[in-house]
Amino acid sequence: MGRLFARFDTVAARAALALVALLTAAQIMTLLLFFKFVIEPQARRLAGLMAQNVSAIAETMARLPAAEQKEFLARLSKSRYLQVHEEIDSWPKEDGSPSWLETFFLSALAEKMSNDTHFEWRRGEGGRMWIALNLAGKRVWMSTRPPDTLRPEWAVILASAFSLSVAIVAGLFLQRRFSRALRKLSSVAQRVSLSSSPEPVRAMRLDRSPAR
């Protein structure tokens, strides 16, 4: 154990640890700025679009006769990106807690919705988020179809971890090369300081050129 601490108690080891700490702090700061200036505005924009769609569906349901409302919900459910059904048809099973990104989106959606529109939400199977609304006296569950790709939060985490790993490996490689050059320079300096004193340089007198 003592040898292990002795190996890390060097200038090169301390420089490597400082480099890793700085890169990690920079990556965390980058993620915070990315969330603040990229993810948060996009989530609020999508929440606004979702609130407008819900408002349009609710207004359409209110104007349709009761006989056509069920057909209207069935047409919506056949769309490529949306799934809608009444609560009496089926009940979405709850599957775990929502992620931090889903929670933020639903909070933004609640802010965008009108005050007289109350909804409930839950996380269903396959990463699908369900929202329950009262439309024209009917309790309706709505959900967007999730993409067949990696979830956004996992994509951000994996991309950040990959970029941090590359930066750490590149930084350690450069730091090792610089440390090797500094060690060689230090070794040369120590050999010069420990060697015998060199002979003093004798002053040389320049003879005058012979007269012609």
Side-chain angles (χ1 to χ4, degrees), residues 104-171:
F104 180 82
F105 171 77
L106 291 171
S107 299
L109 179 61
E111 295 177 359
K112 299 292 184 180
M113 299 282 282
S114 60
N115 295 329
D116 56 346
T117 303
H118 302 282
F119 69 94
E120 300 178 7
W121 57 271
R122 66 174 53 190
R123 189 172 188 275
E125 298 177 348
R128 186 187 294 271
M129 295 301 302
W130 289 95
I131 300 175
L133 297 165
N134 293 322
L135 301 178
K138 298 180 180 182
R139 188 174 177 82
V140 178
W141 286 92
M142 302 176 56
S143 174
T144 56
R145 300 183 186 277
D148 298 330
T149 57
L150 193 64
R151 295 179 59 181
E153 54 269 20
W154 282 111
V156 171
I157 292 174
L158 292 177
S160 301
F162 176 76
S163 60
L164 179 61
S165 301
V166 172
I168 289 177
V169 171

